[in-house]
Amino acid sequence: MDDLSFSNLLTGKTAIITGGAGGVGSGISRVFGSNGCKVLIVDINAKKLKKIEKELSDSGITVKTCKANLTKTAEMKRAVNFALDCFGHVDILVNCVGGLNTKIGLPFTINNDEDWKLMYELNFKSMWGMSREVMPHMVKRKYGKIISLSSVAPIWNSINSPHYTVFKGGINHLTKTLAKEYAKYNIAVNSICPGYLWTDLWQNLGTQLKEKAESSPKMASMLKLKLKKGKISAFEVFKQRTIATTPMGIEQMPEDIGNLACFLASDKARYITGQVICVDGGATL
Ligand SMILES: NC(=O)c1ccc[n+]([C@@H]2O[C@H](COP(=O)([O-])OP(=O)(O)OC[C@H]3O[C@@H](n4cnc5c(N)ncnc54)[C@H](O)[C@@H]3O)[C@@H](O)[C@H]2O)c1
């Protein structure tokens, strides 16, 4: 009989986790490693890479790291080649690079060409570029799992940063087209839409929303934020928005995303492809 248990789901597998030194990515790396997967974490931040590498290797996980800027095609190629040198093959790619490396784009008219370019490269090019680099290798082996981090933003058409919303929506569409094209090679492609997590991304977003809300009562009401004596902290912004938008009323943890990613990356999910799945405490209901 097949193994019906849910332990060590990724034994013998290898994964590239991009942005794996960040908040969500490190949660995914922990869950993958704890389930027997060998992981290569690719990230632009050397300091954070060192930290997660030590944490994982101290707990007995096979982990390699690679510093790379995944908005650049040559760096993507180098990262995939490094994974092949380290492990001989790549079973799983998790595209977790992303974020808001520009100002909040509300109202729409303040977004300049540079904002759109930055957000395209960080949130969408990093995803399609890495998928393109790893695909020929997966096709050759007739095996592969690609999981990409999207967001609830395109599901509820968030107006705070239209470029972020659009490029995360692009991830969901490309997930479906890749799933359709590559299903015959036994390659599954899925995306995950998290709700709110208190990571570096949200600290930056919270600080920007705080400044907007404090700039005028009209803006605070547009953002549905309650100020105390005209002030609010970035974490309070995060908390108020989490409670206001999430039926479960609590924030999520990186490992909540890691658990779904681990299942999708495992052979238990062999018949699941082209899906966009929210892990959001009911926020998109
Ligand atoms: N935090 C949330 O509330 C939330 C919600 C929905 C979706 N997401 C998505 O989850 C993913 C991870 O976000 P996070 O909250 O962990 O943010 P984070 O900032 O903690 O992690 C992002 C990681 O990507 C790395 N990175 C940035 N630019 C890079 C580049 N050019 N090349 C290589 N690495 C680069 C950063 O160093 C960082 O380690 C993102 O795609 C984000 O859009 C996050």
Side-chain angles (χ1 to χ4, degrees), residues 45-261:
N45 188 318
K47 211 168 138 196
K48 288 205 237 169
L49 273 175
K50 225 173 164 178
K51 192 165 166 246
I52 187 76
E53 184 176 21
K54 182 170 178 349
E55 182 201 319
L56 296 192
S57 59
D58 282 355
S59 52
I61 292 165
T62 304
V63 54
K64 302 276 181 190
T65 57
C66 172
K67 180 178 181 293
N69 179 352
L70 296 179
T71 63
K72 309 274 177 236
T73 303
E75 300 267 289
M76 298 180 197
K77 288 186 194 297
R78 183 170 63 80
V80 173
N81 285 333
F82 184 64
L84 294 174
D85 287 347
C86 291
F87 303 137
H89 70 276
V90 177
D91 297 301
I92 305 155
L93 167 67
V94 181
N95 290 308
C96 195
V97 164
L100 281 153
N101 61 346
T102 183
K103 62 186 183 286
I104 297 218
L106 183 71
F108 166 69
T109 45
I110 67 171
N111 300 294
N112 60 30
D113 291 8
E114 187 59 15
D115 297 326
W116 279 93
K117 181 172 176 284
L118 283 170
M119 296 302 279
Y120 159 71
E121 290 189 342
L122 184 66
N123 289 293
F124 194 37
K125 185 180 176 190
S126 63
M127 178 267 182
W128 69 251
M130 281 301 283
S131 304
R132 185 180 66 178
E133 292 312 318
V134 91
M135 202 62 98
H137 170 73
M138 289 182 170
V139 166
K140 209 156 125 196
R141 292 183 68 235
K142 289 207 169 42
Y143 186 90
K145 307 274 190 182
I146 298 178
I147 297 153
S148 303
L149 270 291
S150 174
S151 164
V152 292
I155 313 278
W156 61 28
N157 302 308
S158 169
I159 60 172
N160 289 350
S161 290
H163 25 43
Y164 182 79
T165 298
V166 163
F167 296 126
K168 288 298 189 187
I171 288 180
N172 294 343
H173 281 288
L174 189 60
T175 289
K176 288 173 188 286
T177 61
L178 291 180
K180 203 167 171 181
E181 182 178 350
Y182 288 95
K184 59 179 173 288
Y185 299 107
N186 190 28
I187 297 167
V189 189
N190 293 289
S191 70
I192 299 178
C193 301
Y196 291 164
L197 294 109
W198 183 247
T199 62
D200 285 356
L201 178 155
W202 237 104
Q203 291 189 27
N204 168 32
L205 180 60
T207 306
Q208 290 200 52
L209 285 168
K210 159 196 150 68
E211 281 162 10
K212 284 225 175 232
E214 288 175 349
S215 70
S216 80
K218 196 175 152 211
M219 188 53 91
S221 117
M222 224 170 136
L223 294 169
K224 299 191 176 68
L225 292 170
K226 288 199 183 79
L227 313 189
K228 275 188 203 141
K229 295 185 186 156
K231 297 268 168 212
I232 189 165
S233 72
F235 186 67
E236 189 56 34
V237 169
F238 170 76
K239 249 174 56 186
Q240 281 191 21
R241 293 198 56 119
T242 303
I243 291 166
T245 58
T246 309
M248 281 189 166
I250 50 168
E251 66 174 292
Q252 64 189 132
M253 305 310 288
E255 288 72 18
D256 292 321
I257 311 298
N259 289 338
L260 175 62

Side-chain angles (χ1 to χ4, degrees), residues 3-78:
D3 180 7
L4 298 181
S5 75
F6 271 74
S7 62
N8 291 315
L9 287 188
L10 303 179
T11 299
K13 305 286 189 208
T14 62
I16 299 175
I17 303 176
T18 79
V24 174
S26 56
I28 295 173
S29 303
R30 273 183 210 108
V31 178
F32 274 39
S34 305
N35 276 274
C37 191
K38 294 178 185 166
V39 294
L40 169 67
I41 301 177
V42 189
D43 202 288
I44 202 168
N45 188 318
K47 211 168 138 196
K48 288 205 237 169
L49 273 175
K50 225 173 164 178
K51 192 165 166 246
I52 187 76
E53 184 176 21
K54 182 170 178 349
E55 182 201 319
L56 296 192
S57 59
D58 282 355
S59 52
I61 292 165
T62 304
V63 54
K64 302 276 181 190
T65 57
C66 172
K67 180 178 181 293
N69 179 352
L70 296 179
T71 63
K72 309 274 177 236
T73 303
E75 300 267 289
M76 298 180 197
K77 288 186 194 297
R78 183 170 63 80

